Amino acid sequence: MRSWPESAAGPQRPADPATEAFVTHRNLLFTVAYELLGSAADAEDVLQETWLRWADVDLGTVRDQRAYLIRITTRQALNRMRTLGRRKESYVGPWLPEPLLTSPDVAEDVELADSVSMAMLLVLETLAPTERAVFVLREVFDLGYDEIARAVGKSSAAVRQIAHRAREHVAARRPRGVVSPAETRDALAAFQRAIETGDLQGLLDLLAPDVVLVGDGGGVVQAVPRPIVGADRVARLLAAGVPKIAGEISAEPVQLNGRPALIVRIDGVIDDVVTVRIDDGLITALYVVRNPEKLSRVQRETAVSR
């Protein structure tokens, strides 16, 4: 049994064809697992499980190494979804995906950036596991129906039906229209000014009447126990909460999950990250991740690809 390839996490040169193939596709495989699970930690575990199975494969029988590796990764991710589902059921407060610090070039691939965005990951959460896998493999990674069928254990005809159903489901829930990075940056700049100066007017002008604020503290740190709905309620929460923060607040614009976002620090220590969903020019959702167990990936870039 080959050991977990160190070169998957560092610059060492692959030592054999199996390792070389795995390292070549590693970022893609991580992205597949992450889009299916919404958790970087679980995605890394899936990659290790994928490697253990890939290391035992006779490469002479593999026609398409990329597709074969995606198939293994998908199966392992579907298995892990059951465990993750039980964890979510007992999770304290709202659950949000684990945010990733991504490189600026991710935003240039519009489809990839959309697929890993916080808003899209939350839409994917509303799909059943097999539907989610079929949608991601077809719409993001452009796998053929026959290959997807082998990955999810369904017939090609069934996969076509699932794909059609999943596309309609996602289309009804995804952000409306194309949102430019500039729009998102402007919205986040207003939020930044609001928390750094206490002046909420600029932010209020950008909040949709039915805006939702979702906070994820995971029971580890304080966060709103349930989503806050409505511009007035969100504004009152921020107006009451920001002055009570003891310490100097600063917000750093970054790229999280392929989209502009903010890392908020108190006295120089990361407190939370803020991302937004925008529809028709207004902020329709604010996502605030405070759970420290989910913030390790916002200090160093994570490579995603397709």
Side-chain angles (χ1 to χ4, degrees), residues 134 145-146 148-150 152 154-165:
V134 169
Y145 290 113
D146 290 345
I148 296 172
R150 286 189 283 270
V152 301
K154 302 284 186 180
S155 69
S156 294
V159 164
R160 288 177 182 274
Q161 291 180 338
I162 293 169
H164 177 72
R165 186 167 64 243

Side-chain angles (χ1 to χ4, degrees), residues 111-130:
E111 291 184 359
L112 176 61
D114 179 63
S115 71
V116 298
S117 69
M118 190 71 71
M120 177 56 75
L121 289 174
L122 287 170
V123 171
L124 294 179
E125 282 291 312
T126 65
L127 291 169
T130 299

Side-chain angles (χ1 to χ4, degrees), residues 4-29 51 54 69 305:
W4 172 249
E6 293 181 13
S7 52
Q12 296 182 1
R13 185 175 180 80
D16 60 76
T19 304
E20 185 173 9
F22 184 85
V23 173
T24 296
H25 297 294
R26 186 188 190 284
N27 293 341
L28 176 148
L29 301 177
W51 165 251
W54 174 248
L69 280 162
S305 67

Side-chain angles (χ1 to χ4, degrees), residues 20-234:
E20 185 173 9
F22 184 85
V23 173
T24 296
H25 297 294
R26 186 188 190 284
N27 293 341
L28 176 148
L29 301 177
F30 172 86
T31 308
V32 170
Y34 176 72
E35 292 198 19
L36 295 183
L37 301 169
S39 163
D42 285 286
E44 291 288 0
D45 288 344
V46 163
L47 256 62
Q48 293 200 39
E49 294 161 0
T50 298
W51 165 251
L52 291 175
R53 285 154 180 80
W54 174 248
D56 285 338
V57 171
D58 178 359
L59 297 188
T61 66
V62 178
R63 289 180 298 177
D64 184 337
Q65 293 181 344
R66 176 183 181 271
Y68 198 102
L69 280 162
I70 290 176
R71 187 194 313 171
I72 300 174
T73 300
T74 300
R75 289 176 178 173
Q76 299 311 308
L78 285 170
N79 290 339
R80 186 159 288 260
M81 278 183 181
R82 288 189 280 271
T83 300
L84 195 56
R86 289 192 293 270
R87 291 212 308 262
K88 289 174 185 175
E89 288 174 2
S90 60
Y91 199 79
V92 178
W95 181 94
L96 289 172
E98 183 178 353
L100 306 177
L101 182 67
T102 50
S103 60
D105 64 323
V106 173
E108 296 173 7
D109 185 336
V110 176
E111 291 184 359
L112 176 61
D114 179 63
S115 71
V116 298
S117 69
M118 190 71 71
M120 177 56 75
L121 289 174
L122 287 170
V123 171
L124 294 179
E125 282 291 312
T126 65
L127 291 169
T130 299
E131 288 179 326
R132 183 169 183 168
V134 169
F135 179 85
V136 167
L137 296 183
R138 181 64 182 169
E139 300 301 316
V140 183
F141 298 97
D142 198 31
L143 260 66
Y145 290 113
D146 290 345
E147 187 56 49
I148 296 172
R150 286 189 283 270
V152 301
K154 302 284 186 180
S155 69
S156 294
V159 164
R160 288 177 182 274
Q161 291 180 338
I162 293 169
H164 177 72
R165 186 167 64 243
R167 277 194 297 269
E168 289 188 335
H169 181 97
V170 171
R173 292 163 178 79
R174 73 191 314 164
R176 298 183 295 274
V178 177
V179 179
S180 71
E183 280 185 285
T184 305
R185 283 194 293 269
D186 288 346
L188 288 164
F191 186 87
Q192 181 177 355
R193 287 191 297 272
I195 64 172
E196 290 182 341
T197 69
D199 181 7
L200 294 175
Q201 189 55 52
L203 179 61
L204 280 170
D205 293 340
L206 291 174
L207 293 181
D210 57 349
V211 63
V212 180
L213 185 149
V214 183
D216 180 342
V220 181
V221 296
Q222 185 176 8
V224 290
R226 60 188 62 85
I228 306 298
V229 182
D232 290 342
R233 294 185 66 197
V234 169

